[in-house]
Amino acid sequence: MTSRTTPPLPGYPRRHLLGIEGLSAPEITALLDSADAWVEKSRGPDKKHDLLRGRTQINLFFEASTRTQSSFELAGKRLGADVVNMALRSSSISKGETLIDTAMTLNAMRPDILVIRHGAAGAVELLSQKVDCAVINAGDGAHEHPTQALLDALTIRRHKGRIEGLTIAICGDITHSRVARSNLLALTALGARVRLVAPLTLLPPAADRLGVEICTRLEDGLEGADVVMMLRLQQERMDSALVPSAREYFRFFGLDHAKLAFAKPDAIVMHPGPMNRGVEIDSAVADDARSVIREQVEIGVAVRMAVLVALNANMQARP
Amino acid sequence: MARNDSGGGRTVFVNARLIDPASGLDAAGSLTVEDGHIASVRPGDKLAAHTDAEIIDCGGHLLCPGLIDAQVFAGEPGFEHRESLGSASRAAAAGGVTTMICRPDTDPVIDEAALVDYFARRARDTAVVHAYPMAALTQGLEGIVMTEIGLLSEAGAIAFTDGITPVANPEVMRQALTYARNFDALVVARPMDRQLAAGGVMNEGEISARLGLPGAAAAAEVIMVERDMRLVELTGARIHVGQISAAASLEVISRTKTAGHDVTCGVSINNLVLNENDIGPYRTFFKLVPPLRAEDERRAMAEGIATGAIDIIVSDHDPQDADTKRRPFIDAAFGAVGLETLLPAALSLHHNEEIGLMPLLAALTINPARIFGLDAGRLSPDAPADLVLIDLNRPWAVEPGTLASKCKNTPFEGRMMQGYALMTMVQGRNVFTRKGW
């Protein structure tokens, strides 16, 4: 044991972060509290720490990503880890055996932390069963994106001082969004009232069984909301005929000032990025004082630092 | 599109037999129209005391809400040589039809809000009865990408349909139904499996075998009705099956209705009063979609109207010029004009005692009004004064040359009818008076 050894993070004793599902409110809160401190530490001129010195972090991205990958890379580097980025096209790799072979190969390189994004729901968990290191899910298909949910929760908490009791509208392509799934789990676990707002073609069947309120008009969904979280509408939703056109989507489900007026006057506007201006969000709203979209990016790095620190500590505490 | 220019002043219909299927009223009485609306309905009071009003003595004839025809091809835009909103509306007025709901398979297809605007403007400027456009359900009627149902609804599209080229891909249909539900939009389906019905020019059966013509089996319709009903169960959407022709289709729809789904259906007047035998020696005016079926199917359709299992009757007005009809049966165009003969043909079902007058008129007035969300089809104070005065019994023969439509392809050519519209009023304006009345 070296002097850099830290005790396991009180409140988050797990080996991996595979999803929000199954996490308790105290576990989520422990990560948020830790991340909150990293926000302040990262604002100073001296951003370099050595908690992860000597550790190898591999960012394994089967799906292209700019912001999430660089956020994890920055987080690892600020903590002193050696970070390797590996970009693999999941489309060129057949699933199943080959995926596990990839895991075994990587495992032989003895990384300490694997950050994985994959286009198939459940793929990250499958990989986690085959490796000896800690695994962080950086997004698996339309299933989960837990660090996004944590950074969103922390952004809300820093602005509103709490999460419990808030009315939070998650708006847009719910069916295909891992961000929506992780967020509704995290925010409901923390006591918020969550509404899913979308055209019926972008709501999963039986969405009403998820313990949230369903709205099919944006105006209804925003009524009295404290937080408005917009999701990205991908072009492929129009190609696959779930929405007739971008202009119709913007007219009925795009966030502009007229629709935002239904929310509370002090409501904040969030977006996981990258934004489609003029599709799900009007430029004027994206750049409005109530928009916290750029702050979400900053807090994202702090959240990932907190998660890396927690998993590293838990790993060291294991026999 | 509602006409704004209401007839001013006051008109009193006296000595009328008032029939209002919405309330079940059937009584002698009088009715007053003021500023385009019905001011009062007075059963029992056959005479009026007004002095400052125009008095119309109905002579005991039947006064009922104007007919609503939910399946009209009005030619605009793009087929003005076959029909225009003006000519179709004059045919409608002569037939006691005060509202036309028009097909979107025009050229260009009505699949953009700007075209709904165009239609509305043309209807306002040229039509003498109300005319509402349906919009396409998928862009270009291609069955691939749904139309902008929200924007089209806002522009005034009254329903969404791909007409006789129904969406073949069930996933596209499912998503379109789901999306339509978001806007509480009505989808009108014209069920036909196009592969199964491919090449069919008439009902498949003994007659088609004898005539040597390729047939379209009723199953091609029933299979599609089945599919659409399953999709209604899956999506909770609202669907109106525009035109059915087979008893088995009605069974499937009735089952879905009984299960509590918001499903309605209609039948063409042609499938109610004609059958495949009428085709006779390859008469192309009887080449229709859906095809005329066997007599037992026709009887099932009539019974459906009598019991209310079928909600509405449409004319399926489809003007075709002589060029496309005077061809060998197999090459001739489908379709028949119908606006002007809808009411007389329907009355024949009353005269031969197949359908009571009340359910018959309900299927032509209040039922389509309810399905399409129109403030029309009833005789009650504040309702728009869309009215038709009907002589139930007058015998006459259909002479194609006298029809107001630009095309004369009527299957009722030369047929003896009993009863017709004497006068038609749209929002208080007299838009048709029969010569000699």
Side-chain angles (χ1 to χ4, degrees):
Chain A
M1 293 274 175
T2 69
S3 61
R4 283 179 285 104
T5 304
T6 47
L9 182 74
Y12 190 82
R14 297 169 190 253
R15 181 176 156 200
H16 306 301
L17 177 63
L18 298 176
I20 301 294
E21 174 114 61
L23 300 192
S24 65
E27 284 176 309
I28 297 169
T29 303
L31 290 172
L32 297 187
D33 290 345
S34 166
D36 214 356
W38 284 111
V39 175
E40 305 312 324
K41 285 182 212 167
S42 298
R43 283 181 177 172
D46 187 11
K47 297 185 178 62
K48 191 82 172 176
H49 303 274
D50 63 353
L51 282 172
L52 262 63
R53 194 165 73 200
R55 305 286 176 268
T56 303
Q57 171 188 339
I58 298 181
N59 293 339
L60 182 60
F61 277 63
F62 292 89
E63 263 188 0
S65 157
T66 309
R67 63 178 64 207
T68 304
Q69 182 171 323
S70 43
S71 182
F72 270 109
E73 184 177 353
L74 263 181
K77 285 179 169 167
R78 282 183 184 172
L79 291 167
D82 296 315
V83 182
V84 178
N85 287 321
M86 296 183 67
L88 295 162
R89 289 273 168 79
S90 57
S91 58
S92 65
I93 300 171
S94 64
K95 312 281 184 324
E97 280 305 294
T98 315
L99 183 63
I100 289 165
D101 282 348
T102 309
M104 306 301 269
T105 307
L106 286 170
N107 196 44
M109 296 177 190
R110 301 211 159 271
D112 300 286
I113 295 174
L114 267 178
V115 178
I116 305 173
R117 169 169 289 187
H118 196 285
V124 176
E125 180 164 358
L126 179 64
L127 281 167
S128 75
Q129 294 161 6
K130 305 290 172 190
V131 296
D132 301 317
C133 61
V135 172
I136 301 173
N137 182 358
D140 63 324
H143 179 220
E144 282 234 43
H145 190 358
T147 56
Q148 179 73 42
L150 293 171
L151 78 88
D152 287 338
L154 183 55
T155 307
I156 295 167
R157 201 177 75 172
R158 285 170 65 94
H159 275 272
K160 298 287 173 191
R162 68 191 161 103
I163 286 172
E164 192 171 2
L166 295 180
T167 298
I168 300 174
I170 305 179
C171 316
D173 184 1
I174 308 293
T175 305
H176 304 92
S177 175
R178 51 195 172 214
V179 175
R181 263 179 197 71
S182 289
N183 258 310
L184 80 86
L185 291 168
L187 295 169
T188 50
L190 296 173
R193 214 173 128 220
V194 174
R195 287 182 194 150
L196 301 181
V197 190
L200 286 161
T201 43
L202 297 179
L203 277 168
D208 52 331
R209 306 260 193 85
L210 299 176
V212 292
E213 206 181 321
I214 302 293
C215 298
T216 57
R217 284 182 75 241
L218 189 52
E219 289 84 347
D220 297 343
L222 297 191
E223 185 74 51
D226 297 287
V227 176
V228 182
M229 198 180 278
M230 302 307 296
L231 300 172
R232 178 176 166 77
L233 182 76
Q234 284 167 329
Q235 178 60 40
E236 60 199 84
R237 303 304 159 234
M238 276 166 276
D239 300 341
S240 59
L242 296 175
V243 171
S245 69
R247 68 179 178 191
E248 167 137 327
Y249 189 82
F250 182 68
R251 166 67 185 78
F252 294 100
F253 292 96
L255 184 66
D256 56 19
H257 273 122
K259 298 198 195 85
L260 184 55
F262 284 82
K264 284 192 183 156
D266 63 345
I268 56 170
V269 175
M270 307 176 71
H271 193 297
M275 284 182 279
N276 289 311
R277 290 170 186 258
V279 179
E280 71 264 1
I281 191 163
D282 190 30
S283 266
V285 172
D287 304 329
D288 187 279
R290 284 172 286 180
S291 161
V292 298
I293 295 167
R294 275 173 288 278
E295 196 180 330
Q296 286 173 270
V297 179
E298 179 191 6
I299 290 174
V301 179
V303 158
R304 281 151 192 146
M305 290 173 80
V307 172
L308 289 168
V309 168
L311 298 189
N312 179 55
N314 293 347
M315 213 163 16
Q316 304 217 349
R318 280 190 297 151
Chain B
M1 311 276 101
R3 300 181 59 86
N4 294 322
D5 49 338
S6 302
R10 178 188 285 168
T11 308
V12 184
F13 291 88
V14 299
N15 193 21
R17 177 181 171 191
L18 302 169
I19 291 204
D20 179 31
S23 64
L25 171 72
D26 181 355
S30 60
L31 180 148
T32 301
V33 170
E34 246 179 69
D35 297 329
H37 285 73
I38 295 172
S40 64
V41 183
R42 296 177 308 281
D45 175 14
K46 283 163 72 170
L47 301 170
H50 299 289
T51 51
D52 59 339
E54 185 195 354
I55 308 287
I56 296 176
D57 185 342
C58 301
H61 289 305
L62 193 157
L63 185 65
C64 81
L67 275 47
I68 298 169
D69 186 350
Q71 186 71 12
V72 172
F73 185 78
E76 293 194 49
F79 296 98
E80 289 82 355
H81 61 291
R82 280 163 56 192
E83 198 72 288
S84 66
L85 280 159
S87 61
S89 73
R90 285 188 292 278
V97 173
T98 52
T99 298
M100 306 187 292
I101 296 173
C102 300
R103 276 162 48 180
D105 52 333
T106 46
D107 183 16
V109 170
I110 298 179
D111 62 359
E112 292 242 9
L115 287 159
V116 174
D117 284 342
Y118 171 83
F119 182 102
R121 212 166 48 245
R122 290 286 301 163
R124 185 195 62 207
D125 295 346
T126 65
V128 298
V129 304
H130 302 289
Y132 299 93
M134 292 191 276
L137 182 61
T138 66
Q139 295 174 19
L141 303 172
E142 287 171 349
I144 300 167
V145 179
M146 70 178 89
T147 50
E148 295 166 322
I149 292 171
L151 295 170
L152 287 160
S153 294
E154 280 192 338
I158 194 171
F160 295 83
T161 184
D162 271 10
I164 56 169
T165 53
V167 175
N169 182 329
E171 171 65 8
V172 172
M173 188 64 173
R174 176 201 180 160
Q175 297 302 348
L177 285 170
T178 304
Y179 192 78
R181 205 183 122 207
N182 219 83
F183 298 95
D184 197 27
L186 177 68
V187 172
V188 175
R190 297 231 7 218
M192 182 179 65
D193 186 297
R194 279 189 280 160
Q195 268 100 34
L196 197 52
V201 296
M202 65 172 293
N203 183 46
E204 183 176 297
E206 186 189 329
I207 311 275
S208 69
R210 289 182 186 281
L211 292 173
L213 290 171
E221 174 182 300
V222 183
I223 286 171
M224 211 59 160
V225 171
E226 280 272 14
R227 182 201 75 171
D228 287 344
M229 294 304 104
R230 296 289 171 185
L231 291 177
V232 164
E233 288 166 13
L234 190 61
T235 60
R238 203 150 70 89
I239 207 168
H240 171 70
V241 185
Q243 280 170 245
I244 59 170
S245 63
S249 299
L250 182 55
E251 268 173 43
V252 177
I253 292 165
S254 296
R255 200 172 65 214
T256 313
K257 258 189 195 175
T258 308
H261 293 283
D262 199 351
V263 173
T264 51
C265 66
V267 62
S268 154
I269 188 67
N270 301 316
N271 291 98
L272 275 178
V273 300
L274 304 170
N275 67 30
E276 59 182 351
N277 297 309
D278 289 304
I279 291 170
Y282 302 96
R283 290 194 292 179
T284 61
F285 286 5
F286 296 83
K287 182 176 175 181
L288 305 167
V289 184
L292 298 174
R293 302 279 183 200
E295 173 61 12
D296 57 340
E297 301 278 30
R298 186 204 66 78
R299 269 203 299 265
M301 295 298 100
E303 194 191 325
I305 292 292
T307 61
I310 299 178
D311 300 272
I312 71 169
I313 303 170
V314 298
S315 75
D316 194 18
H317 181 78
D318 193 355
Q320 298 290 346
D321 51 32
D323 287 1
T324 57
K325 275 294 188 184
R326 305 227 182 280
R327 292 184 184 189
F329 197 90
I330 206 162
D331 299 326
F334 291 95
V337 291
L339 276 166
E340 218 169 320
T341 47
L342 172 63
L343 174 64
L347 291 177
S348 72
L349 295 161
H350 159 67
H351 292 305
N352 69 15
E353 297 181 349
E354 273 196 286
I355 305 177
L357 200 52
M358 201 60 93
L360 192 64
L361 290 173
L364 291 162
T365 57
I366 187 63
N367 293 356
R370 283 186 181 136
I371 291 167
F372 288 87
L374 298 170
D375 180 21
R378 61 200 163 86
L379 291 190
S380 50
D382 294 331
D386 296 347
L387 303 167
V388 56
L389 183 64
I390 300 170
D391 180 334
L392 267 183
N393 298 312
R394 179 85 173 192
W396 63 291
V398 178
E399 290 170 41
T402 65
L403 296 180
S405 171
K406 285 189 184 178
C407 294
K408 315 299 178 190
N409 53 310
T410 171
F412 301 110
E413 182 175 10
R415 183 178 276 239
M416 285 306 294
M417 296 283 192
Q418 197 182 344
Y420 50 32
L422 292 173
M423 179 191 165
T424 306
M425 178 175 269
V426 174
Q427 238 166 325
R429 288 175 69 242
N430 183 348
V431 294
F432 171 77
T433 305
R434 187 157 300 272
K435 267 189 200 127
W437 179 68

